[in-house]
Amino acid sequence: MSTESTPALLKGAAGVDAVQTDGPAPAGPSARSPRARSTTAYLRYAAGKLAGAAVSLFAVLVTSFFLFRLIPGDPVKQMTGGRQVSTEQIAAMRKEFGLDLPLWQQFTEYCGKALTGDFGTSYQFRAPVMDKITEALPATLLLTGTAFVIYTAIGIWLGARSAWRNGSAGDRFHTAFALTLYSVPSFWLGLLLVITLSVGIGPVPGMFPTGGMESGSESGFAYVLDVAHHLVLPVVTLVAVEYARTLLVMRSSLLDEMGSDYLTTARAKGLRDDLVRRRHAVPNAMLPTVTLLFVNLGNTVAGAILVETVFSWPGLGGLFYQALSVPDLPLVQALFFIFAAAVILMNTLADVIYPLLDPRVGR
Amino acid sequence: MVTRFPPRSSRPHGRLRILVASGAAALALAAGSVVPGIPLAPAAQEAQAADGKSTLTVAVAQSVDSLSPFLAQRLLSTSIHRLMYDYLTNYDAKDNRTIPGLATKWETSADKLTWTYTIRPDSKWSDGEQATAEDAAWTFNKMMTDEGAATSNGSFVGNFKKVTAPSPDKLVIELKKPQATMTALDVPIVPEHVWDKVGDFSKFNNDTKFPIVGNGPFVLTDYKVDSYVKLKANKDFWRGAPKFDELVFRYYKDQDAAVAALRKGEVSFVAGSPSLTPAQAASLKTADNIKVNDGPGRRFYALATNPGARTKDGTKFGDGHPALLDQKVRQALFMAVDRTTIIDKVFQGYAIEGEGYIPPRYGSYFWKPSAGQKLAYDPAKAAALLDEAGYRKNGAGKRTGKDGKPLDFRILCHATDPNDKAIGKYLQEWWGDLGIGLKVDCRDNVSDPWYAGEYDLAFDGWSVNPDPDFVMSIHTCAALPAKAKESAATDNFICDKQYDELYAKQLAEYDPAKRADLVKQMESRLYDTGYMNVMAYPNAVEAYRTDQIESITTMPSAAGNIYGQDGYWSWWSAVPAAGASGDSSDGGGSTGVLIGVGVAVVVLAGGGLLFAMRRRSTAEDRE
């Protein structure tokens, strides 16, 4: 028994031109090889997507400037609220932050600097905005990255199993359970985990820290363990509320594949059911899921704000919350831009990678 | 082919092998986590306790805006500066009166314009250098000459003419005009030999080189943004070393998570922002080893009316209701406020009924109205006052003015403050009974309509310092904005000649008793005019673990707050509880084992999955 035919089956099932010549291409510009044509088409497609992303990023840059100007309140007054500050000091601060300039001038300066990666100085922290962001970014990436890997694995695995046993008790349970967790507010679930698994309740002992990313007294390998210990509950919260989306998409796209002829062929060849699922059905069903995963990755960065707050995770989410409360315009604008850029870039990446997975796209 | 397929009965054997292997791996990991020096285990806690180091951990939510005392504005940052640097003077924890700090004594010239401070000889910077008058003179001069260095405390030096240090122990400050707050200069004095190397004061955040040189009761040794701030006890502090070896401010952005951390023992102390909620306090009161400190707060919570917004030159702006320009209407509104109900129902007992402008914890300045002066809750009298003012009820039960228009007000409320919303509902009911309509206008940011004068009434509140100058100054005519709608020091556009005369007198009065009397007269005037009426003094509700902290000084010491004191008393005085491990651990007692079990489960599941996949991947070959 052989599995050699699987790639051909896959391509055939996907309706792709399976025949690609590896022989010498005929001479002349009008007779370029299909591979060259394919590469050119792909590059054109990718360039179009990248251009679209660039336009979107610029639109976000402009929006981020004006959107947050709509927040009522004078940032200087907010920052100095409750303190003894003279009118002269307030005027000096307005001048220092460039808030005394006409709006159009503030806007052109903002755009000019943003293009060079300079988002100005944070009002409240008196430090370059990019410094504050690079300080908080690793924590967010650690949290969201870990959660992403786990919820993707769980979502795909459970989604595939659920679809394959469509209508079974297991399928109904997994789908209902995932949907229940998906509809639970993340901060509420986080607090519940703090009360049960961190403080301990009844027979459940307290096992994890209530918040933060580190205890602050460790170094070396002990530090890594310490951070991992702090990472457990926030990751569990994020995974719990996020895996449903992957599960559902994976389940639905695998269900679409289930009646396909190539699966019947594979079965007819005597392949085991599990093998048919893993080698033949799942790879094809993965295509829509991959797009979702990239979009998810972009969203997760911004979506971790509540989880970061509940678990006092020192990432971008907490920084955004603080920036909004002032409002610390340069910081708010930059973070908004970065959150939006993450979604745009991940969408673009999905668009660009998709034709590599499914050559029908982009032709 | 099928015969070569491994018999099903052999699978359990394979699984068992995986189980054993995974279990061994998990046990190894679990064992690893109980090795001393690795953080998750009880042994680690004991090891830390065994070195005899005691740590006081305080849960905080507010980020540090800057560790530079020239830039810091937030309560947490300025409180930390109180611990890092000594100030010229301090406030007695017992009764808030001024006591020596870096200066041992001070005197004024006959013309009240020159102040001479004697700097103590026993205060050293943590790098071993002597703290001198030159350091103080350099600090003040920097603030007077560098705009960046004036960011945080510039208002303190606004009236300074010249600051000199004729000798290492003498600091001389010459003023432009008399200033009674010269013993309330809340300015951290920094070491010149460290700070004279700083270039741009508007950008230097003092947060890169540790330990930071200071001469306060604690030395800041480490700081990680939004994770922790660590300070160690300054054993050479002239007043005596703190009892705890280390003080750590740890971040809990969520108040409920901070309370959970206290319950668990991860932190020793939790305050609120500004207070624990009644529900949090009630639940902690019944918890073991936790004491809830329900002390009188330093805030007042008031009802403010728009007295007609205006600029310094008298230009009117805004759209405040004209009926509120009538003192009788303002007083009638206040007499229809049942403060007892507000204390009982809204604050659930965690507040004191409001009277004068300054809370009772500041005994020397606290004022209360006489029996005849008091605007006690009396709806009938309030109705009569409104009748007198010409606002009578019509057939529909609504009060109308002479123009026939119904009396409807707006009140500005902070959308983030549940107390504002709750009290707004009560006011709608009480004033509705009087025939007055009320729209409760809750906003995330009330600053804009407030400074534009576009409101009728507002919920107002301030924290009061031991020296009341600031909260009194925001009601002077001088605090009004120069231009319409411009941000200014004024709180509420109040401009009253009689009040201003009293303010000027108290600022020039150096005799504490006479000055206190003048301040009380100002409070009396504010009360009578009815522009500002205090409804409550919310308590400072906070909690700490008695198995970690044996005793701690409140301010005032008889009954007061712990967090955010005007001084370093709480953390400087805190005594570790006998038998306390001395280190608030992040983990529970059996954390290591439990983590090991967790790891075992993960390893088992992962191993099982891997094994199953491997079997499947080779199934074809086997077939």
Side-chain angles (χ1 to χ4, degrees), chain A residues 58-72 102-111 329 332-333 336:
Chain A
F58 184 72
V60 167
L61 192 70
V62 173
T63 312
S64 64
F65 179 84
F66 289 104
L67 184 67
F68 296 108
R69 291 294 187 287
L70 296 177
I71 299 177
L103 198 60
W104 67 266
Q105 207 171 330
Q106 290 183 41
F107 177 65
T108 48
E109 278 190 17
Y110 165 71
C111 285
L329 291 176
V332 166
Q333 285 162 186
F336 177 79

Side-chain angles (χ1 to χ4, degrees), chain A residues 193-215:
Chain A
L193 289 178
V194 167
I195 291 166
T196 51
L197 297 180
S198 187
V199 179
I201 188 165
V204 182
M207 287 178 278
F208 299 98
T210 45
M213 183 174 153
E214 57 185 297
S215 55

Side-chain angles (χ1 to χ4, degrees), chain A residues 66-216:
Chain A
F66 289 104
L67 184 67
F68 296 108
R69 291 294 187 287
L70 296 177
I71 299 177
D74 177 354
V76 172
K77 197 70 209 173
Q78 285 290 313
M79 276 186 291
T80 56
R83 287 192 312 110
Q84 306 185 35
V85 187
S86 66
T87 312
E88 291 76 23
Q89 277 177 280
I90 289 174
M93 285 174 81
R94 292 184 64 80
K95 192 177 172 192
E96 182 191 340
F97 297 139
L99 289 166
D100 57 335
L101 297 173
L103 198 60
W104 67 266
Q105 207 171 330
Q106 290 183 41
F107 177 65
T108 48
E109 278 190 17
Y110 165 71
C111 285
K113 284 185 177 173
L115 290 175
T116 62
D118 176 6
F119 282 91
T121 303
S122 157
Y123 294 165
Q124 54 182 330
F125 298 110
R126 306 270 174 165
V129 162
M130 286 316 284
D131 284 5
K132 294 304 294 180
I133 289 175
T134 44
E135 254 171 23
L137 188 63
T140 292
L141 289 182
L142 177 66
L143 172 63
T144 55
T146 311
F148 175 78
V149 169
I150 296 174
Y151 75 66
T152 299
I154 294 178
I156 289 176
W157 186 56
L158 287 180
R161 292 188 75 83
S162 287
W164 206 249
R165 292 168 192 167
N166 183 24
S168 69
D171 172 35
R172 290 203 304 274
F173 171 77
H174 283 310
T175 313
F177 190 65
L179 277 175
T180 307
L181 285 176
Y182 185 52
S183 45
V184 164
S186 56
F187 70 91
W188 182 80
L189 183 65
L191 272 178
L192 213 62
L193 289 178
V194 167
I195 291 166
T196 51
L197 297 180
S198 187
V199 179
I201 188 165
V204 182
M207 287 178 278
F208 299 98
T210 45
M213 183 174 153
E214 57 185 297
S215 55

Side-chain angles (χ1 to χ4, degrees), chain B residues 134-285:
Chain B
E134 279 100 344
D135 292 313
W138 186 88
T139 304
F140 287 121
N141 276 310
K142 197 69 191 166
M143 286 160 55
M144 289 161 67
T145 54
D146 186 323
E147 214 170 64
T151 303
S152 181
N153 296 313
S155 61
F156 285 111
V157 298
N159 185 36
F160 285 13
K161 194 166 136 192
K162 191 179 174 190
V163 183
T164 53
S167 68
D169 67 339
K170 284 280 179 286
L171 174 75
V172 179
I173 301 178
E174 293 174 41
L175 301 173
K176 295 173 194 164
K177 57 185 180 187
Q179 180 177 325
T181 56
M182 289 303 287
T183 54
L185 298 173
D186 292 337
V187 178
I189 304 298
V190 301
E192 179 186 359
H193 65 280
V194 174
W195 284 79
D196 63 358
K197 296 173 184 72
V198 174
D200 185 351
F201 274 73
S202 69
K203 293 197 167 59
F204 179 71
N205 280 314
N206 196 27
D207 58 359
T208 49
K209 205 174 159 191
F210 303 105
I212 295 173
V213 178
N215 63 341
F218 288 91
V219 177
L220 198 144
T221 53
D222 198 6
Y223 162 62
K224 196 158 187 183
V225 180
D226 284 0
S227 284
Y228 55 77
V229 183
K230 286 185 179 177
L231 301 106
K232 73 167 187 194
N234 178 2
K235 300 292 179 194
D236 299 324
F237 185 55
W238 62 267
R239 203 187 286 276
K243 316 292 184 295
F244 273 92
D245 298 310
E246 195 176 30
L247 172 63
V248 178
F249 292 96
R250 184 172 293 287
Y251 278 87
Y252 290 88
K253 298 279 181 188
D254 183 271
Q255 189 64 36
D256 287 318
V259 169
L262 182 78
R263 280 178 177 280
K264 193 182 172 192
E266 254 180 50
V267 296
S268 319
F269 176 90
V270 168
S273 53
S275 267
L276 294 178
T277 63
Q280 286 168 338
S283 76
L284 287 174
K285 270 184 177 168

